Amino acid sequence: MAARVLVAAEKPEQLQGLAGLVKALGAEGEAVALLAAGREEAEKAAYSVFKTLYYVEGGGRLQPCQLHELLEGLYAEHSPVLVVGAATKNLTDALARLSARHNLPMFTEAVSIQLSGDEVTAVRQVLGGRARARLAAKAPAAATVNPAVYAEQAQGLAAGAELAGLRAPAAVLEETGYEPKKREAVDLESAEVVVGVGRGFRRKEDLAMAEELAQLLGGVVGASRPIVADYGWLSEDRWIGISGKKIRPKVYIAIGISGAPQHMAATVDSKIIVAINKDKNAPIFQYADYGVVADLYQFLPVLIKKLRERLGK
Amino acid sequence: MALNIAVLVKASLDPNMIRTRGDDVDTDSMPLAMSEYDKNAVEAGVQLKEKHGGRVVVVSALTWGPLAKRQREYEQVIREALAMGADEAHVVVDEALVPGDPLATSKALAALLEKLGGFDLVITGEASMDMISSQLGARIAALLGVPFISYARRLELGDGVVTAVRDLEDGYSTVRAKLPAVVSVTGEANKPRIPTLIQIRRAFRKPIKKYSLADLGIEAPSKPRLEELKVIQVKRKNIIIEAENLEQAAEKLIEALEREGVLPKA
Ligand SMILES: Cc1cc2nc3c(=O)[nH]c(=O)nc-3n(C[C@H](O)[C@H](O)[C@H](O)COP(=O)(O)OP(=O)(O)OC[C@H]3O[C@@H](n4cnc5c(N)ncnc54)[C@H](O)[C@@H]3O)c2cc1C
């Protein structure tokens, strides 16, 4: 049973964007989907654009080698011209293995994919998000996408996919431990004011200044990669950048952040960008509307005080 | 256990040094530098060597042209890895790999790794800083038919087994694999050392060997066409707030934000 498109997700909410992609490709009813979770989760995302939605009997967390095995089976069964995964780490890994096995080109985190005849065209952000590459190859091909890119097309999806259970293959690698990350209910992506913190902050406690500023402005605190990934001062939900969250606030206030392209690429949709940095040559000032060259430890208390006065808080 | 470790190193376009011709990125005139997270790969390899003994071999493919004028630059990137403590380097230089794509590059590097033979561990960075594809490690492992561990932020070896902590979106997963294996490391895996002058000088005596695809016995692999590479223009006001003191700077900033209509109402 052939299907033109095979999509894969780890979570039901990712399937929504992937269903939007299937619609955008005009492949409704010609797509099948894999959800690496149990039946109950699959029922939340059984969109009718999918002929079949495969889930994993018993659910559970799958490793890339297991995802890869499942994809191999579906690839053989359906001979799709396009395989697209949600751009998660595990699926990027699994799809790259599938691509190697079948000599497929793969477009990591494509922001758009087009299928015409046997040509696949993908647009990707490269060079730390500062440039856009258009790539083309003969189908079949693989890609990953951030499902949020297709949020618009994912409006008003109807349910109706047939559900089919798959058994999880044995893992090649032995998992000897798993520690979940802490989550907070912060929604950086739709915040109207974001205060970004970077390595200019010397101690975790000092982030309280940024939190106070954010609260005054009704905003939330986000961070550069080192603050989250290296120091673990803030949770993953607050990570801004090409490997984190993309923001689109009215105002982004970046404090003690140097302005690496991988960070700034995720802030381009901000209406106004303010940079506070003590180094007047910091690249961030090129990306900012308003810059203040100052030591954040001296400037933030003053800014907070003045804002309080202005806002009558 | 004398280890034989390969580290994959890419001479990447430096995203901080974008050069353009009109809207197009002029890759030919952009400088090359060692991909940021490949430094973590080299560091991980050198640390394992220091602990367990053995050698670290740099394996690379040149994927940005024009090849004729890139020799000095990519050698400098490779020498940096050698100065960090790697012992020797092997590089594929072939027009057919330019511009790079993981589909083609992985085949060339897998062929080179097979030709060199006998690696216990192959370490890569989680993604290159120019193309950010994050595929090479997985592809090479699949081509070589060995286990792959992606996004490792910790890496240990013992008894023919590699143990790694994978840094995933929702949690940390600790996995074990039998050697030989391929591992990709994240930017948080370690702090890459900065080589001393003596180490840099010594690196000049370490061998760098070059190969064409013909030397590796493979044909030019197919790859996607890079049809267009456009710079993303962002226009910002770039106003630096000048003030006598911090109070005045804060006031001016607040006024500007009010003018922009982005402050909440008092
Ligand atoms: C493939 C890839 C993906 C990446 N993904 C991301 C990503 O998603 N997000 C991300 O953020 N990064 C990402 N990075 C990392 C990125 O390249 C930078 O390393 C990182 O953004 C730097 O963070 P920073 O600005 O906080 O730190 P730094 O670059 O160290 O900057 C600190 C800044 O603080 C200033 N400062 C210091 N003290 C003070 C003070 N007292 N007052 C005021 N200013 C002060 C300094 O002048 C400096 O400009 C990625 C890199 C790669 C290669």
Side-chain angles (χ1 to χ4, degrees):
Chain A
M1 184 183 69
R4 271 173 74 213
V5 180
L6 164 62
V7 303
E10 290 189 279
K11 296 183 176 169
E13 55 272 25
Q14 295 160 353
L15 273 183
Q16 198 176 355
L18 294 174
L21 166 70
V22 168
K23 262 170 70 182
L25 290 169
E28 292 107 318
E30 295 180 283
V32 292
L34 168 67
L35 177 65
R39 182 172 181 115
E40 221 169 281
E41 301 284 282
E43 278 166 359
K44 296 181 203 162
Y47 304 111
S48 63
V49 299
F50 305 130
K51 251 194 321 198
T52 310
L53 170 57
Y54 297 92
Y55 62 91
V56 179
E57 284 166 4
R61 228 163 3 82
L62 298 195
Q63 292 192 40
C65 54
Q66 295 170 293
L67 294 169
H68 173 220
E69 276 312 303
L70 290 172
L71 287 168
E72 284 288 345
L74 296 174
Y75 189 79
E77 187 178 341
H78 297 286
S79 315
V81 290
L82 190 62
V83 187
V84 184
T88 65
K89 291 179 180 176
N90 280 340
L91 281 169
T92 305
D93 176 335
L95 280 171
R97 297 179 198 219
L98 182 83
S99 300
R101 210 54 100 63
H102 300 281
N103 198 31
L104 309 180
M106 171 170 158
F107 308 109
T108 306
E109 238 185 306
V111 293
S112 98
I113 304 176
Q114 240 120 44
L115 197 55
S116 85
D118 67 343
E119 272 274 300
V120 179
T121 309
V123 176
R124 308 185 48 228
Q125 291 199 1
V126 298
L127 292 172
R130 291 195 60 196
R132 202 174 276 126
R134 196 175 72 224
L135 296 140
K138 286 258 168 311
T144 62
V145 299
N146 175 353
V149 172
Y150 289 95
E152 214 168 290
Q153 287 88 342
Q155 297 301 313
L157 290 166
E162 171 205 357
L163 293 183
L166 297 173
R167 195 153 313 142
V172 179
L173 299 189
E174 186 192 347
E175 186 177 66
T176 57
Y178 185 80
E179 186 197 327
K181 286 186 180 175
K182 279 199 207 72
R183 288 266 161 219
E184 300 168 84
V186 239
D187 188 2
L188 219 55
E189 280 141 314
S190 57
E192 295 218 326
V193 176
V194 176
V195 174
V197 296
R199 281 213 299 215
F201 285 82
R202 290 192 286 267
R203 282 184 316 260
K204 185 179 174 186
E205 300 78 73
D206 302 340
L207 301 184
M209 286 190 285
E211 188 56 53
E212 191 178 353
L213 179 62
Q215 271 180 15
L216 264 178
L217 299 173
V220 293
V221 171
S224 67
R225 174 167 174 154
I227 298 296
V228 174
D230 221 0
Y231 308 157
W233 288 350
L234 291 173
S235 75
E236 207 102 343
D237 324 64
R238 299 191 188 256
W239 174 336
I240 300 168
I242 56 167
S243 29
K245 297 271 193 294
K246 198 162 186 221
I247 59 170
R248 44 186 328 133
K250 280 193 194 155
V251 57
Y252 176 47
I253 306 178
I255 308 170
I257 290 179
S258 62
Q262 297 90 353
H263 180 81
M264 297 317 292
T267 69
V268 290
D269 292 332
S270 309
K271 181 161 178 260
I272 295 292
I273 295 181
V274 175
I276 300 168
N277 196 300
K278 71 173 179 188
D279 174 9
K280 70 175 193 318
N281 296 317
I284 184 99
F285 291 121
Q286 297 162 29
Y287 296 99
D289 295 292
Y290 298 98
V292 178
V293 181
D295 184 326
L296 70 92
Y297 283 90
Q298 289 163 12
F299 184 62
L300 281 190
V302 178
L303 180 64
I304 288 168
K305 179 167 155 275
K306 294 274 173 200
L307 263 175
R308 271 195 198 293
E309 288 168 15
R310 186 68 56 115
L311 297 170
K313 288 191 184 171
Chain B
M1 176 171 71
L3 288 168
N4 197 4
I5 300 171
V7 293
L8 304 185
V9 169
K10 181 175 188 181
S12 283
L13 297 176
D14 185 345
N16 295 302
M17 306 282 261
I18 297 211
R19 301 279 178 274
T20 53
R21 222 183 308 104
D23 276 351
D24 291 314
V25 176
D26 179 11
T27 56
D28 286 1
S29 48
M30 280 178 68
L32 300 178
M34 191 185 330
S35 195
E36 198 167 321
Y37 297 154
D38 292 356
K39 293 184 185 169
N40 299 95
V42 176
E43 179 64 36
V46 172
Q47 282 185 15
L48 288 172
K49 173 178 101 165
E50 286 168 350
K51 192 158 169 203
H52 301 277
R55 62 177 194 141
V56 174
V57 176
V58 176
V59 172
S60 180
L62 184 57
T63 55
W64 294 110
L67 292 190
K69 76 158 232 221
R70 291 293 194 185
Q71 162 131 3
R72 263 197 47 204
E73 260 179 306
Y74 86 76
E75 279 196 15
Q76 209 168 338
V77 170
I78 302 298
R79 296 237 183 261
E80 187 181 343
L82 293 171
M84 286 175 73
D87 300 286
E88 57 182 66
H90 301 265
V91 189
V92 192
V93 182
D94 199 303
E95 207 63 63
L97 297 180
V98 179
D101 183 274
L103 176 58
T105 309
S106 61
K107 286 184 193 164
L109 291 179
L112 177 54
L113 287 164
E114 258 180 344
K115 184 184 173 79
L116 298 169
F119 289 109
D120 300 300
L121 194 62
V122 178
I123 311 177
T124 81
E126 63 171 270
S128 64
M129 67 177 175
D130 50 11
M131 298 311 272
I132 331 168
S133 289
S134 212
Q135 297 175 27
L136 208 69
R139 282 185 182 268
I140 287 174
L143 292 172
L144 297 176
V146 302
F148 176 53
I149 299 177
S150 52
Y151 306 101
R153 73 175 287 154
R154 258 213 329 271
L155 190 59
E156 271 160 39
L157 280 186
D159 248 359
V161 171
V162 52
T163 306
V165 179
R166 303 183 61 225
D167 191 341
L168 301 175
E169 289 88 352
D170 293 337
Y172 302 103
S173 163
T174 307
V175 293
R176 288 153 51 90
K178 283 224 177 67
L179 301 181
V182 179
V183 178
S184 80
V185 293
T186 71
E188 290 75 34
N190 50 46
K191 291 261 166 300
R193 66 194 68 191
I194 297 166
T196 64
L197 264 160
I198 296 173
Q199 287 167 326
I200 292 169
R201 222 173 304 135
R202 237 182 256 146
F204 277 91
R205 292 204 294 269
K206 297 180 181 176
I208 302 179
K209 199 160 173 228
K210 272 185 265 176
Y211 305 79
S212 66
L213 291 179
D215 294 335
L216 300 175
I218 61 170
E219 312 245 312
S222 67
K223 59 183 167 73
R225 293 188 310 281
L226 178 56
E227 291 188 327
E228 196 179 274
L229 188 56
K230 297 259 184 229
V231 62
I232 298 173
Q233 304 279 11
V234 254
K235 294 233 168 11
R236 292 286 168 191
K237 298 194 174 85
N238 302 128
I239 297 169
I240 297 287
I241 293 188
E242 311 280 352
E244 309 273 317
N245 51 43
L246 293 177
E247 277 74 20
Q248 200 188 11
E251 276 161 15
K252 282 189 169 180
L253 177 60
I254 292 168
E255 276 161 27
L257 295 180
E258 273 178 343
R259 260 199 320 280
E260 297 286 356
V262 296
L263 279 195
K265 302 267 168 316

